[in-house]
Structures are given as structure tokens and as C-alpha cells.
């Protein structure tokens, strides 16, 4: 049931256009008709928008927080694996390796795991 729901959601996401809305201030003084490119670029960098655009450009629309991956799959692991007490990022990498998820389907980010369209379904197969 879960896999069917995930595939339906991925199909729906694939059929839609991804939009992001962020409020960016054009200048630090909040003056009208004044644009500070360095100030604006700094805001975009700090909000992660530049990285997000880069990931989307390379075709990784699905992103999952490492803690969520660990919470979702840790209970399915053998006791000796759970006893390792891996950090969420290391745990996610180990799950991907252990399940032999093809490397072209994902990228490991700083705080999230990025999947190609439909790639996340390989975790639940």
C-alpha cells in the first residue's frame, strides 16, 4: 500500500511544476528602488536556494532529511546494526549501500538525501 501511494505521489509530482517562494530583501536599508546584488546573493546562498536550484538542475526533485530516513528504516534493521548507533547521514548511506540502490538514483547532501524522480521508490521495494 505504501509503495503504491509513493508511486502515485511521485507521478503527481512529476506532472506538476515545482515552484519555490522565498522573500528576499533587495537591500539592507529597505529602501524602494534600491537593489544590492551582493546582499541579495548572500540571502539566496544562506537560505540554500542556490544549492536547491543546482540539485533541481541535475534532476533530484525528491529530498528527504537524514533523520527521517533513520526513523523510517532503523526499526527494520537487525539488532547488531541498530547497536552501531550511526549518525543519521551515515545510517542513510549504509541503507543505500546495503540495499544496493544504484548510485545514479541519489546524491548525499549535507543534511538531506536527494533522489531522482521515482528513485525513492527503490527504498521501499
Amino acid at each position: 500500500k505504501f509503495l503504491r501511494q509513493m508511486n502515485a505521489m511521485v507521478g503527481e509530482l512529476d506532472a506538476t511544476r515545482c515552484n519555490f517562494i522565498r522573500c528576499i530583501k533587495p537591500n539592507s536599508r529597505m529602501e524602494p528602488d534600491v537593489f544590492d546584488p551582493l546582499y541579495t546573493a548572500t540571502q539566496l546562498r544562506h537560505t540554500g536556494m542556490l544549492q536547491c536550484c543546482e540539485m533541481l538542475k541535475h534532476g533530484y526533485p525528491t529530498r528527504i532529511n537524514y533523520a527521517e530516513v533513520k526513523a523510517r528504516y532503523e526499526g527494520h534493521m537487525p539488532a547488531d546494526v541498530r547497536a552501531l548507533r550511526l549518525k543519521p547521514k551515515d545510517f542513510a548511506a549504509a541503507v543505500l549501500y546495503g540495499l544496493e540502490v544504484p548510485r545514479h538514483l541519489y546524491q548525499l547532501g549535507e543534511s538531506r538525501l536527494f533522489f531522482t524522480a521515482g528513485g525513492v521508490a527503490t527504498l521501499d521495494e
Side-chain angles (χ1 to χ4, degrees):
K1 179 181 176 182
F2 178 75
L3 182 58
R4 188 177 68 244
Q5 290 173 335
M6 287 299 294
N7 286 331
M9 182 180 72
V10 167
E12 190 173 323
L13 289 173
D14 285 341
T16 62
R17 184 171 177 204
C18 190
N19 295 298
F20 295 92
I21 298 174
R22 294 278 194 249
C23 295
I24 304 297
K25 298 176 184 176
N27 64 72
S28 61
R29 297 181 306 273
M30 302 290 286
E31 293 179 9
D33 302 321
V34 177
F35 182 75
D36 181 346
L38 183 60
Y39 183 74
T40 303
T42 300
Q43 291 176 78
L44 291 170
R45 192 173 298 109
H46 287 168
T47 60
M49 285 305 300
L50 297 179
Q51 291 172 321
C52 184
C53 291
E54 187 70 20
M55 293 305 293
L56 289 173
K57 181 176 84 175
H58 292 293
Y60 295 95
T62 306
R63 38 200 186 280
I64 304 172
N65 187 295
Y66 290 125
E68 184 180 338
V69 173
K70 187 170 184 178
R72 185 181 298 174
Y73 297 102
E74 188 172 41
H76 300 286
M77 297 293 126
D80 54 341
V81 173
R82 289 192 308 266
L84 294 173
R85 299 186 190 273
L86 295 172
K87 293 178 184 175
K89 182 177 181 177
D90 296 332
F91 179 85
V95 166
L96 293 166
Y97 179 80
L99 294 176
E100 299 178 350
V101 175
R103 189 68 177 97
H104 70 277
L105 294 179
Y106 68 91
Q107 283 289 329
L108 298 169
E110 287 298 315
S111 62
R112 289 182 170 79
L113 177 58
F114 295 86
F115 282 99
T116 58
V120 73
T122 59
L123 286 178
D124 295 315
E125 291 175 355

